[in-house]
Amino acid sequence: MLALAVAAGDAAAVVGPPPLTHRFIEFGSKRKSEMAAYARRHYGLNTYKLVRPHVIVEHYTATTTFSAAYNTFAIDAPDSELHELPGTCSHFIVDRDGTIYQLVHLGIMCRHTVGLNYTAFGIEHVGMSDGDVMGDRKQLQASLRLTRWLRCRYGIAVKNVIGHNESLGSRYHHENVARLRNQTHGDMRHATMNRYRSRLSRLACG
């Protein structure tokens, strides 16, 4: 573990972060308490903190603007699908012009992928389909730079950079709530992510 941490640290020193625009959503004591309660129910963990992340999950927002997605995540209200607290969120949103917005600090869990929130960063992309993301040069380049930085900083393998639609196949998937053990979404499918990972693998950490 120590060797892995050193390697990840060395990589982080070489691969700096891409330009980030901070638009942090409110994540105060109430939302942290809700996140810890969620983690107890779903993962058996008594914390809101994201510790030793192993996975990066790519999503698209199903909106046409950054503001629409941001407003959804900023409001700490039960989500429309699963009706749980805290509200859904993502660590980052990549806009169509390549702007990368950071919404949540990296040491905090976000509700973006059932079964993986305890160990995964979430990256949303403004768009309505996989094709929107893969077909937008500025957005895709920014996404790859962001993902490269995160995976190199935390020692995350390329194979553990997944699309939301691949969540059930992750070795790290864990869900204590029986009715949600097969819950996933359709965004960023396996064929899409094979193309994404192929491009990502060319971006070495060293």
Side-chain angles (χ1 to χ4, degrees):
M1 291 298 293
L2 178 59
L4 177 61
V6 170
D10 289 346
V14 174
V15 179
L20 300 175
T21 300
H22 292 150
R23 287 286 304 277
F24 292 112
I25 62 174
E26 179 64 30
F27 218 115
S29 58
K30 176 178 177 290
R31 195 162 185 163
K32 287 175 180 176
S33 178
E34 293 165 350
M35 190 71 249
Y38 179 96
R40 284 193 296 274
R41 291 194 304 275
H42 293 266
Y43 310 122
L45 301 173
N46 189 31
T47 184
Y48 65 86
K49 295 181 180 179
L50 181 59
V51 180
R52 293 187 297 277
H54 294 94
V55 181
I56 301 170
V57 184
E58 312 287 347
H59 309 256
Y60 62 75
T61 62
T63 68
T64 58
T65 63
F66 162 77
S67 60
Y70 179 88
N71 291 338
T72 296
F73 297 147
I75 299 171
D76 185 19
D79 64 285
S80 60
E81 181 183 8
L82 303 179
H83 313 291
E84 289 198 74
L85 286 171
T88 56
C89 64
S90 186
H91 294 91
F92 299 93
I93 298 177
V94 183
D95 208 346
R96 302 305 299 268
D97 64 358
T99 302
I100 302 170
Y101 295 94
Q102 183 174 359
L103 279 62
V104 178
H105 291 285
L106 298 182
I108 294 176
M109 287 187 210
C110 257
R111 274 194 63 210
H112 56 89
T113 308
V114 169
L116 289 171
N117 297 311
Y118 77 100
T119 194
F121 295 118
I123 300 177
E124 292 276 357
H125 302 78
V126 175
M128 299 297 294
S129 68
D130 290 13
D132 282 351
V133 179
M134 297 302 292
D136 190 304
R137 183 181 60 83
K138 288 183 178 179
Q139 186 179 45
L140 182 58
Q141 287 181 345
S143 174
L144 289 166
R145 288 188 64 191
L146 172 61
T147 302
R148 177 198 190 194
W149 171 62
L150 287 172
R151 82 165 200 87
C152 292
R153 177 175 176 178
Y154 290 93
I156 297 172
V158 171
K159 67 182 179 181
N160 292 322
V161 176
I162 66 172
H164 194 167
N165 186 244
E166 299 179 300
S167 63
L168 299 179
S170 171
R171 60 175 291 197
Y172 295 102
H173 185 274
H174 175 81
E175 179 53 67
N176 287 340
V177 178
R179 68 182 177 85
L180 297 179
R181 287 179 184 151
N182 293 314
Q183 197 277 350
T184 190
H185 278 187
D187 48 328
M188 304 305 282
R189 296 177 181 275
H190 183 65
T192 302
M193 289 306 300
N194 278 342
R195 293 167 55 207
Y196 188 97
R197 284 185 290 264
S198 176
R199 294 192 61 165
L200 182 64
S201 66
R202 301 172 204 160
L203 304 175
C205 288

